[in-house]
Structures are given as structure tokens and as C-alpha cells.
Amino acid sequence: MNFASLPQVDIAAVPADGLLLDVREDNEWAAGHAEGALHIPMSEFVARFGEVTEAVADGGGQAFVICRVGGRSAQVTQYLVQQGIDAVNVDGGMLAWEGAGRPMVTDGGDPAYVL
């Protein structure tokens, strides 16, 4: 599978109650993230795969995968699809999320931004 054939959605198509899987690293997450997103850095993804399958099952069966701009999330989406999981790459990543004015938070309450 090449990335061009991956299922992708625009930021506007991500439902407010959908499972948003953020695969950015810890420092990127700390700067700002979507409230309620599941954070599993790409570097830890295979080791924490069980958490993903559980969250997908609990979250309605589909994962919306996001990173900063869409490269890492495309790789994770490809892996998930190969494992038989309904996953879509969020086109444009967190930069598009921020640009669309979608809400962002930090764990410490500081102003959120995309690193």
C-alpha cells in the first residue's frame, strides 16, 4: 500500500466524539493537543498497540490518526489498516487542526500551540 491510497479525511470531517489518535512525540503533545485525544507517540506505537485496539473498540470502531502535518500519521494509518483496523489519516495534521480553529489544550493549562 502506498500513502496515496490511504484513507484520509479533512479536519472538518473528524467528529467531535471520534477517536483521535495523536502519534506526535511527548514534547509536541505538551505544547498543545486536541482535548480527549489518545496520545501514543509513533516511537512507542508497536509496544502500545493493545491500547490502540482497545480504544478503537471502545470508540466506535474507527481511529482518526493525526501528527503535526500528516507524514507520521500516514505511516501509522497504513500499519493499522494492515492490521485490519478501520483507520484514517487526518489530512494536514495538527497544523491544519490549529488553522481551522479547532480547540486545543495543554495538560498544564498554558496556551496551546502546535510545535
Side-chain angles (χ1 to χ4, degrees), residues 63-88:
F64 296 87
V65 188
I66 198 165
C67 66
R68 184 172 190 270
V69 294
R72 288 172 286 178
S73 56
Q75 292 177 57
V76 170
T77 299
Q78 180 180 25
Y79 178 79
L80 290 172
V81 168
Q82 288 172 342
Q83 304 308 309
I85 294 174
D86 184 5
V88 294

Side-chain angles (χ1 to χ4, degrees), residues 6 15 18 21 31 34 43 49 55-56 82 112:
L6 278 178
L21 175 60
S43 62
F49 183 70
V56 169
Q82 288 172 342

Side-chain angles (χ1 to χ4, degrees), residues 1-45:
M1 172 185 294
N2 63 37
F3 291 155
S5 66
L6 278 178
Q8 290 199 82
V9 295
D10 185 76
I11 292 295
V14 178
D17 62 347
L19 171 61
L20 187 65
L21 175 60
D22 190 326
V23 298
R24 297 175 301 148
E25 295 303 316
D26 291 338
N27 62 329
E28 295 171 289
W29 170 267
H33 55 270
E35 188 171 12
L38 173 61
H39 179 226
I40 300 183
M42 185 175 168
S43 62
E44 300 173 15
F45 196 77

